[in-house]
Amino acid sequence: MTESTGIDPEDTKIITLARSARARNGVPEGAAVRDETGRTYVAGTVALDSLKLSALQTAVAMAVASGARSLEAAAVVTEAGAPAEADRAAVADLGGPDTPVLLAGPDGALKSTTPAGPTA
């Protein structure tokens, strides 16, 4: 973990990547996930007439399509509140219920960290 932020440098990296995807694509959310080998997958919100996916769902799908077997962490950058249950479920499907989901604001500041699995 870094002394100044208390956030692991690898987690800071996926927040930065998610923030970049959001800004670059002009979408409401950006997300990034890190797989078991350290590879990262970055995505923005998909909002087509025939297909709607959150940024986090898209990043998980990209990881699966690229052969990832597990996730170490996920990050979403948004102005919205906590990640939706469907987003956390997608992360849990690949990473397990204890995989951390980092929520950051558009400025990149970490708002919360929750497990992917049910919190109740």
Side-chain angles (χ1 to χ4, degrees):
M1 289 192 184
T2 61
E3 193 76 25
S4 61
T5 62
I7 303 172
D8 182 282
E10 291 300 315
D11 291 345
T12 299
K13 177 182 172 183
I14 61 173
I15 289 171
T16 300
L17 290 169
R19 186 175 180 218
S20 296
R22 180 181 182 271
R24 180 178 55 251
N25 297 327
V27 292
E29 294 180 344
V33 298
R34 184 176 62 248
D35 74 9
E36 75 283 359
T37 67
R39 290 181 297 179
T40 56
Y41 307 87
V42 181
T45 309
V46 174
L48 301 172
D49 289 340
S50 62
L51 179 64
K52 298 197 185 318
L53 295 172
S54 72
L56 199 47
Q57 290 169 335
T58 305
V60 170
M62 290 173 65
V64 170
S66 296
R69 295 176 191 216
S70 181
L71 295 179
E72 291 182 347
V76 62
V77 173
T78 181
E79 291 181 10
E85 187 175 327
D87 291 344
R88 290 190 0 257
V91 172
D93 281 349
L94 188 57
D98 295 329
T99 304
V101 178
L102 310 161
L103 173 66
D107 62 355
L110 182 65
K111 294 180 180 180
S112 66
T113 302
T114 58
T119 56

